[in-house]
Amino acid sequence: MAPSAMRTATAALWAASLSDARPVPYWLDDPGRPGALPALTGDEHCDLLVIGGGYSGLWTALLAKERDPERDVVLIEGREVGWAASGRNGGFCAASLTHGFGNGLARWPGELRKLEELGERNLDAIEATVARYAIDCSFERTGEIDVATEPYQLDDLHELYEEATRLGRTGLEPLDRDALRAEVDSPTFLGGLWDRRGVAMLHPAKLVWGLKRVCAELGVRIYENTRALELARAGAGARSGGGPGARSGAGSGMAVRTPYGRVFARKVALGTNVFPSLVRRVRPYTVPVYDYALMTEPLTEAQRAAIGWRNRQGLGDSANQFHYFRITDDHRILWGGYDAIYPYGGRLDAALDHRPETYLKLAGHFFRCFPQLEGVRFSHAWGGAIDTCSRFSAFFGTAYDGRVAYAAGYTGLGVGATRFGGEVMLDLLAGERTERTALEMVRSKPLPFPPEPAAWAGIGLTKWSLARADARGGRRNLWLRTMDRLGLGFDS
């Protein structure tokens, strides 16, 4: 067969593998998905209002009640709890607060040891919370393997291991080609670095649904399909009567308008992440990036034997345009990443949740990684928006004289780090100096993205340069080296 005909036939096989894929997130396509709670109508009053019903908001609400069970907490969500990034991600719950050790070392070398310690404690606390409240989310602390698929990546992983060991990091295990392929078998794998304890695998939607249940049991009043339209100071006399939380003084607090009512609160925590912040000056610090994933049908026993993967780790390759992949309870493989799509103007558009050309590309990459799985079909294909900032890890702050706190910019690593972000927001709202608020990471901000068309042009040039670096043995061009010096970046 001629090479062109072979390429055509191969592409047809990739396309056929997607023919039955449902265009919905696998995690949310679950008969156990809880129904939505009623929307807010009329006026509500509370000590703390949490805006956003993803991980960020739910962790903040739960922690607020654990710190003070008498605190009156309300949470509002524009659609259903967990419908956005919290229900669409890969289910990698990492200890890292800095989007990986390498990024933390480049940005906060002087406090990285403390950041690593706080991250480990945060992941331990998530594991303890899941156990304490019996949240059935398939939590497995199996770790993650960073995989080298090109020779230069082996050098990068070795250097990372040496630096981490020097700073006292434990639980890292270098794997040569044979050791890695004994864990998960792919002809593309050259070696890897296994972080045995620093990452847990879980079912992301079941975690968010479990947090919703626990918050409600602790007394948080949750309103779904209740979008926050406007945030302003509550003027004297704005209250319209008593009710739950009547001890809250609106004159010294905030008012949030919703489609059918208002919420008056002493303090507000913003967990809206990728969606435009109600504090306008925060908006230039993040851009939405669309990320995509596929989920296979359940593998047969013979297919599982062909790839191994008995220890159920998460994996991610080490390219700039990287893939992340993991195996589920029912023996499916999630395969995501690579493309990172920035829409001009930073617009959020449900039409961008699906991108067939990316699905086809991901399918091709999957079968190159696992040729022994030829014939496997994909059951689900989906995408969603990630809040990306130029330093790849969350930033924090307050507004309205400390009455409003925000955390955003998790850049795809928010499953675990959002709990830490909730702690930071509560510390900031309390006006407390803690080991968290003393961090340079918490006190500083990333560089904002420029306005259009500069953002579109800069991000486009960065993506082109990253792809070129992947094709040229990791060599970064002048543009990327300049971005590195300025502390700017683009990632998903």
Side-chain angles (χ1 to χ4, degrees), residues 106-441:
R107 299 182 187 280
W108 303 287
E111 65 182 25
L112 184 55
R113 190 185 294 268
K114 171 57 70 173
L115 287 166
E116 290 284 298
E117 175 195 336
L118 289 170
E120 291 169 8
R121 282 160 46 187
N122 185 64
L123 183 55
D124 289 343
I126 291 172
E127 184 172 22
T129 299
V130 166
R132 181 165 65 253
Y133 294 112
I135 297 175
D136 180 14
C137 63
S138 303
F139 188 99
E140 298 179 282
R141 198 141 174 189
T142 52
E144 179 179 6
I145 302 175
D146 290 332
V147 174
T149 57
E150 296 288 344
Y152 78 89
Q153 296 168 10
L154 288 172
D155 295 336
D156 292 344
L157 290 178
H158 177 73
E159 182 179 340
L160 183 67
Y161 173 72
E162 293 293 329
E163 287 285 358
T165 302
R166 181 179 63 81
L167 284 177
R169 177 81 181 273
T170 61
L172 299 178
E173 180 181 346
L175 302 173
D176 63 18
R177 178 182 179 276
D178 291 341
L180 175 55
R181 292 189 63 174
E183 291 293 332
V184 184
D185 191 15
S186 167
T188 68
F189 293 173
L190 303 180
L193 183 61
W194 185 0
D195 181 353
R196 284 184 166 271
R197 290 285 297 167
V199 183
M201 296 291 106
L202 52 76
H203 188 302
K206 288 185 177 179
L207 174 61
V208 84
W209 297 335
L211 293 175
K212 173 185 175 179
R213 170 184 61 81
V214 172
C215 284
E217 289 173 353
L218 294 178
V220 177
R221 299 192 298 288
I222 300 172
Y223 298 96
E224 294 180 86
N225 294 305
T226 300
R227 184 182 171 201
L229 302 175
E230 183 182 22
L231 172 69
R233 297 181 190 274
R239 289 182 58 86
S240 59
R247 63 185 180 277
S248 303
S252 60
M254 304 301 299
V256 172
R257 183 169 60 86
T258 70
Y260 307 127
R262 297 174 298 176
V263 184
F264 298 99
R266 288 183 183 273
K267 302 287 178 68
V268 176
L270 299 179
T272 50
N273 295 320
V274 76
F275 298 96
S277 177
L278 292 169
V279 179
R280 294 187 66 88
R281 60 182 164 83
V282 176
R283 295 181 185 181
Y285 291 104
T286 62
V287 295
V289 176
Y290 281 80
D291 180 55
Y292 299 92
L294 304 176
M295 185 72 84
T296 71
E297 63 190 355
L299 302 186
T300 66
E301 186 174 344
Q303 288 166 336
R304 298 200 301 273
I307 60 172
W309 218 338
R310 290 175 294 277
N311 289 315
R312 304 179 56 78
Q313 311 94 330
L315 285 91
D317 63 52
S318 301
N320 291 303
Q321 293 182 289
F322 62 92
H323 305 88
Y324 54 88
F325 38 116
R326 50 84 53 97
I327 198 160
T328 67
D329 280 356
D330 57 349
H331 310 298
R332 301 169 186 263
I333 296 176
L334 178 143
W335 180 266
Y338 194 79
D339 273 348
I341 305 302
Y342 169 70
Y344 184 86
R347 74 186 189 281
L348 291 167
D349 185 347
L352 296 172
D353 287 348
H354 299 288
R355 198 167 189 264
E357 59 266 45
T358 294
Y359 299 152
L360 188 60
K361 188 184 298 182
L362 286 173
H365 296 171
F366 175 86
F367 290 114
R368 280 199 288 270
C369 182
F370 295 119
Q372 62 269 54
L373 296 181
E374 181 179 343
V376 166
R377 300 173 74 84
F378 296 99
S379 63
H380 296 76
W382 72 95
I386 293 168
D387 61 325
T388 292
C389 75
S390 62
R391 73 183 193 187
F392 310 151
S393 54
F395 62 92
F396 314 90
T398 60
Y400 293 95
D401 300 319
R403 295 186 179 93
V404 176
Y406 56 84
Y410 291 96
T411 317
L413 222 66
V415 179
T418 44
R419 183 191 176 278
F420 176 81
E423 296 269 30
V424 171
M425 284 196 284
L426 293 172
D427 290 350
L428 293 173
L429 289 173
E432 296 174 350
R433 182 173 176 84
T434 67
E435 60 181 346
R436 290 177 290 265
T437 61
L439 292 167
E440 180 188 350
M441 176 190 175

Side-chain angles (χ1 to χ4, degrees), residues 10 28 467 471:
T10 301
L28 298 175

Side-chain angles (χ1 to χ4, degrees), residues 152 319-322 338 340 392 459-472 474-477 479-480 483-484 489-492:
Y152 78 89
N320 291 303
Q321 293 182 289
F322 62 92
Y338 194 79
F392 310 151
I459 289 172
L461 180 56
T462 301
K463 289 178 60 180
W464 177 85
S465 299
L466 290 171
R468 186 173 174 82
D470 285 338
R472 300 176 66 210
R475 292 190 297 275
R476 297 171 79 80
N477 63 15
W479 174 258
L480 291 180
M483 297 279 281
D484 292 342
F490 175 76
D491 200 5
S492 67

